[in-house]
Amino acid sequence: MDRGRWRRAYNRLVCAVAVLAIGLSGWTLWQWWDRRHTVDEACGGLVPVGEVLALRGSGGEITPARNLTDGIRLDDAPLPQSCVLRSEEVAEGRRLGQSGSFFSAQVATEPTGWTSEAVDDAFEDALDPTNPYVDVPRVYQPVGGGVPGHVTDTGVSVRLPCPGTGHRGEEITAIRASAELDAATRAEFSENGQLAQDDRDRLARIAVTTANNLAAELGCPDRLPEPPDGIPALNTEPVAPEEAGGTCAWYGEAGLHTGRANASGWLPDRVLEARTGDGVWQERCLLSVTGKARGEAYRRYADAPEYGRFREESSMDDKTWWASAESFFGDAAERVSNGSAGDDRMAVAGRGGYDSEGNTLWATSVCGGEPAVHTLTVSWPYVHGAARHLEPVFRAYVEDVAERRGCTDTAMPSASDYREES
């Protein structure tokens, strides 16, 4: 073959490769555009698309989960609204019939009208990581960095005050936004059961940007600052009270687990805390009794007449004895249920009390000019032994929160409420 024919064949090959490359490039660009357009369309243009598509589990085709939500349409319906996205990557890794959802975002306004639940089921083990009915742990971390919000086991929720504005004719006082990985997606891509660090930070940026974008849409004058990098994971292991900080520092400082203060032996000797944050609308300290202390209390008091109900309902099984101290502020404190939901089970402002069905002591106060509810829920059957000894515990907790958050007008349970289990 002469040199001219070789040159013509080579040119044809180069052209064919160029055409193929252009075709592949066009296909890649179309996929890129389609994925971004799907996220933007489903989430009402509020979420930062690039951040969403950088999350773990976002690979392949993205489709809205229309059977779960119609997406975010600010002009078409009242808030709250949410968008849920499926991904090809997640769907291919799950069994037939399982959801391929990997991400969701929600936007809401206050007043929400939502009911806040005081605690996990008091009949379940709040510290058992194998318990399928209880999210372990549920001691959420604040976002930090001046961002009012908290980090959960699957995502991040934030809040931005927005007084004097409205949506669809309804006056609002604040907006909320959340960004979450699907629980199964988080589990598939977890680091020791937690959100990966870059996903945790990215979800915080998504939630903050979503809130700021919603603020712009609704005419709110303020904006949230950028969240910090390196947001800590949730604590998972209880520590000795004297080692605790944050939401449980009060318990160790009060010395309630030692000496004469715990002469009965019923009080917790381990705590699970989070960092404190002025901007959070809910915070929690989880207290527990370890096996050795639990066994000693059981042997010492199982036959005592005043603990008859404890003796009847308890057994030497492996269920953890725990108590959960929680506080709710502002909108979250407007409707706090002391157990199963219902208007007759709500904490009442200006009062304190005890709910025997939910095993929950509750107090109320005013923090920074807004309502607050403080609760102490005690697990079953632990409540039937410990309740009569919990007055100093609950008082120390409420006093600590009041000092940190500037609370006044505190109303505590009466002395008789601590013997409701008899």
Side-chain angles (χ1 to χ4, degrees), residues 179-314:
E180 295 190 339
L181 284 183
D182 180 87
T185 302
R186 187 265 296 161
E188 291 171 20
F189 298 99
S190 69
E191 295 179 351
N192 298 320
Q194 303 255 17
L195 286 167
Q197 181 68 70
D198 56 343
D199 279 342
R200 190 161 54 245
D201 292 344
R202 185 166 283 116
L203 288 166
R205 293 195 294 270
I206 294 171
V208 165
T209 301
T210 301
N212 286 339
N213 288 340
L214 179 61
E217 291 285 340
L218 299 182
C220 302
D222 296 330
R223 299 291 184 271
L224 295 174
E226 284 291 315
D229 291 328
I231 297 172
L234 306 184
N235 292 330
T236 59
E237 295 296 330
V239 298
E242 56 269 19
E243 299 174 12
T247 56
C248 291
W250 59 275
Y251 190 66
E253 292 168 358
L256 296 172
H257 60 295
T258 60
R260 295 179 61 185
N262 191 22
S264 66
W266 286 105
L267 299 186
D269 60 349
R270 288 291 184 274
V271 298
L272 184 63
E273 83 277 13
R275 294 174 295 120
T276 56
D278 292 340
V280 297
W281 54 90
Q282 180 177 350
E283 66 174 38
R284 181 181 186 188
C285 168
L286 188 60
L287 308 101
S288 62
V289 184
T290 58
K292 181 179 179 181
R294 185 172 66 240
E296 290 176 356
Y298 185 92
R299 287 187 292 272
R300 184 175 178 184
Y301 293 105
D303 295 327
E306 65 268 35
Y307 297 105
R309 188 169 178 185
F310 168 78
R311 182 172 62 251
E312 292 170 6
E313 298 190 10
S314 66

Side-chain angles (χ1 to χ4, degrees), residues 33-376:
W33 178 88
D34 184 62
R35 281 160 50 85
R36 294 182 67 88
H37 175 74
T38 298
V39 175
D40 213 35
E41 180 70 15
C43 299
L46 297 180
V47 304
V49 178
E51 295 278 24
V52 172
L53 294 178
L55 290 166
R56 283 170 169 77
S58 63
E61 184 183 8
I62 301 294
T63 55
R66 294 295 187 192
N67 59 319
L68 300 176
T69 174
D70 290 332
I72 296 175
R73 303 286 184 271
L74 292 182
D75 295 334
D76 298 339
L79 297 174
Q81 296 179 27
S82 60
C83 58
V84 180
L85 301 173
R86 288 193 178 97
S87 74
E88 186 177 17
E89 178 183 4
V90 167
E92 288 180 349
R94 295 184 186 168
R95 295 191 301 271
L96 183 65
Q98 288 185 313
S99 170
S101 301
F102 87 97
F103 169 81
S104 64
Q106 183 185 66
V107 289
T109 56
E110 296 180 7
T112 61
W114 296 343
T115 296
S116 300
E117 295 291 341
V119 74
D120 310 294
D121 189 339
F123 288 87
E124 298 293 344
D125 188 342
L127 284 165
D128 178 6
T130 66
N131 188 337
Y133 303 106
V134 177
D135 253 348
V136 177
R138 295 191 65 182
V139 184
Y140 298 150
Q141 291 279 14
V143 175
V147 177
H150 55 244
V151 182
T152 74
D153 54 337
T154 56
V156 177
S157 296
V158 299
R159 177 182 183 270
L160 174 62
C162 189
T165 56
H167 179 245
R168 294 175 58 87
E170 296 291 331
E171 184 176 352
I172 64 175
T173 58
I175 60 178
R176 295 194 200 178
S178 65
E180 295 190 339
L181 284 183
D182 180 87
T185 302
R186 187 265 296 161
E188 291 171 20
F189 298 99
S190 69
E191 295 179 351
N192 298 320
Q194 303 255 17
L195 286 167
Q197 181 68 70
D198 56 343
D199 279 342
R200 190 161 54 245
D201 292 344
R202 185 166 283 116
L203 288 166
R205 293 195 294 270
I206 294 171
V208 165
T209 301
T210 301
N212 286 339
N213 288 340
L214 179 61
E217 291 285 340
L218 299 182
C220 302
D222 296 330
R223 299 291 184 271
L224 295 174
E226 284 291 315
D229 291 328
I231 297 172
L234 306 184
N235 292 330
T236 59
E237 295 296 330
V239 298
E242 56 269 19
E243 299 174 12
T247 56
C248 291
W250 59 275
Y251 190 66
E253 292 168 358
L256 296 172
H257 60 295
T258 60
R260 295 179 61 185
N262 191 22
S264 66
W266 286 105
L267 299 186
D269 60 349
R270 288 291 184 274
V271 298
L272 184 63
E273 83 277 13
R275 294 174 295 120
T276 56
D278 292 340
V280 297
W281 54 90
Q282 180 177 350
E283 66 174 38
R284 181 181 186 188
C285 168
L286 188 60
L287 308 101
S288 62
V289 184
T290 58
K292 181 179 179 181
R294 185 172 66 240
E296 290 176 356
Y298 185 92
R299 287 187 292 272
R300 184 175 178 184
Y301 293 105
D303 295 327
E306 65 268 35
Y307 297 105
R309 188 169 178 185
F310 168 78
R311 182 172 62 251
E312 292 170 6
E313 298 190 10
S314 66
S315 61
M316 287 302 289
D317 56 22
D318 292 329
K319 182 176 289 188
T320 304
W321 289 358
W322 57 264
S324 176
E326 294 182 83
S327 287
F328 306 84
F329 307 96
D331 181 81
E334 294 289 350
R335 292 172 57 85
V336 178
S337 171
N338 304 313
S340 58
D343 287 343
D344 59 336
R345 304 286 299 283
M346 298 293 169
V348 180
R351 293 172 52 188
Y354 174 72
D355 179 79
S356 59
E357 292 186 47
N359 295 343
T360 300
L361 292 154
W362 54 275
T364 59
S365 67
V366 178
C367 302
E370 294 189 316
V373 174
H374 317 281
T375 64
L376 183 68

